[in-house]
Each structure stands twice: as structure tokens, then as C-alpha cells.
Amino acid sequence: MPYSKRTDLPDNVKHVLPAHAQDIYQQAFNSAWEEYKEAKDRRGDDSREEVAHKVAWAAVKKEYEKGDDDKWHPKR
């Protein structure tokens, strides 16, 4: 279930992340979706989708952080 466009992203991503962070999320999710398609390539019992979401959030957190105002901002 890769995301073909930003508007396809889950609401909890679209409504909290700025556009650039959404792009990062989308690209990381789609990449992880392909990379972890086989269960043997995943750790634990996480589904392909769960792993892809975890990878996507990790990618976002490398460049963005949640501020005191509860909004996501680029890291300085």
C-alpha cells in the first residue's frame, strides 16, 4: 500500500507534519514497503505496514522535531 501522492497519507501524518516532512515520510514509507516485503527481513512480529510506518517516522525525526508548541519544526 505505498502512497502515490501526499494526499494519500494517513490523517495523523497529513494533519501534523509540514509539507516537506510529509514528503520525507512518503518516500521513506514507500522505500521500506519494498525493502521489508518479506517477513524474514523484518524483526519481531510487526507487519509490513507497521515496519514501513516506523521507518517513515524515524526518517522524519532525523530532520524534524516536535516543538513546545506541539508542531513539527526542522531541526536546527
Side-chain angles (χ1 to χ4, degrees):
M1 141 184 137
Y3 298 107
S4 58
K5 53 190 183 254
R6 194 186 302 153
T7 56
D8 295 337
L9 293 171
D11 286 343
N12 69 325
V13 174
K14 286 190 293 193
H15 297 307
V16 299
L17 295 178
H20 179 248
Q22 289 179 39
D23 292 339
I24 293 169
Y25 189 98
Q26 179 184 353
Q27 291 169 359
F29 181 96
N30 290 349
S31 177
W33 181 261
E34 287 305 312
E35 184 174 344
Y36 298 107
K37 98 172 77 169
E38 302 295 329
K40 66 180 175 55
D41 296 331
R42 295 179 234 137
R43 285 190 227 152
D45 295 327
D46 287 349
S47 71
R48 183 179 184 186
E49 184 174 5
E50 288 172 318
V51 170
H53 283 297
K54 287 178 182 180
V55 168
W57 276 113
V60 168
K61 289 176 181 178
K62 284 182 181 180
E63 294 193 39
Y64 284 81
E65 60 190 352
K66 201 172 196 180
D68 293 336
D69 58 359
D70 258 0
K71 294 183 181 179
W72 290 86
H73 303 278
K75 287 185 175 180
R76 298 173 198 239

